[in-house]
């Protein structure tokens, strides 16, 4: 009788262990949706989770650029992605590039990039200790260099400097950029 009781307890313990293992290995499977890069950009809440640093703004903008040229999105998603990029811009840059004109410009750039069969395979950005910050006309500005390595026609490396300026709310916004 004592052996039977021990055997029953051992079988119950083994069943509990196996059940717990099954639960852990199968919980959530099939329920989580893996977001595409386009969806990750679109769902970024820039009102409540805006990047805190100038470098963070440029990093997010570069994820948008990489997404643009990947062509892994619908036309509707492209409009939303471009809208996210536009939200990162300084008011002065927005005035020079209204949202509808900016979207058409993005589409033209993507078409040209696609025609040349180009792709960005690497993006490297200045480290946080290399970001240059200055006060110009009483406003805080930051300068960040980004190097793009590309394949396709015109392959090679290209370095671009981003100029950001803090707005009245203390958020860094892209004011301008130029190629070195």
């Amino acid at each position: 009788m004592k052996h039977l009781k021990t055997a029953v307890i051992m079988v119950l313990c083994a069943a509990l262990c196996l059940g717990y293992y099954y639960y852990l290995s199968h919980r959530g499977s099939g329920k989580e949706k893996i977001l595409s890069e386009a969806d990750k950009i679109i769902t970024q809440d820039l009102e409540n989770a805006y990047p805190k640093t100038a470098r963070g703004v440029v990093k997010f903008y570069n994820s948008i650029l990489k997404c643009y040229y990947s062509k892994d999105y619908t036309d509707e998603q492209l409009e939303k992605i471009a809208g996210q990029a536009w939200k990162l811009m300084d008011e002065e840059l927005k005035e020079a590039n209204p949202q509808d004109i900016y979207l058409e410009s993005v589409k033209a750039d993507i078409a040209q990039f696609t025609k040349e069969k180009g792709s960005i395979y690497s993006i490297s950005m200045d480290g946080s200790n290399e970001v240059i910050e200055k006060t110009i006309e009483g406003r805080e500005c930051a300068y960040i260099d980004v190097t793009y390595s590309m394949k396709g026609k015109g392959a090679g490396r290209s370095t671009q400097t981003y100029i950001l300026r803090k707005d009245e709310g203390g958020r860094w916004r892209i004011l301008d950029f130029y190629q070195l």
Side-chain angles (χ1 to χ4, degrees), residues 158-171:
S158 171
T159 301
Q160 192 156 307
T161 297
Y162 288 86
I163 304 168
L164 293 92
R165 180 167 65 183
K166 273 194 179 176
D167 65 11
E168 272 69 30
R171 292 180 170 178

Side-chain angles (χ1 to χ4, degrees), residues 32-83:
E32 294 127 14
K33 181 181 177 187
I34 298 173
L35 293 177
S36 67
E37 286 305 310
D39 288 330
K40 288 177 187 176
I41 291 166
I42 292 166
T43 58
Q44 176 73 31
D45 181 4
L46 292 177
E47 292 301 317
N48 297 311
Y50 194 86
K52 302 220 182 295
T53 64
R55 193 172 185 283
V57 171
V58 174
K59 185 176 180 180
F60 184 61
Y61 183 75
N62 279 294
S63 66
I64 290 171
L65 287 181
K66 200 163 186 179
C67 186
Y68 281 161
Y69 301 121
S70 74
K71 295 278 295 160
D72 190 23
Y73 47 78
T74 65
D75 287 342
E76 182 181 320
Q77 286 176 313
L78 176 60
E79 287 182 31
K80 291 177 181 177
I81 295 166

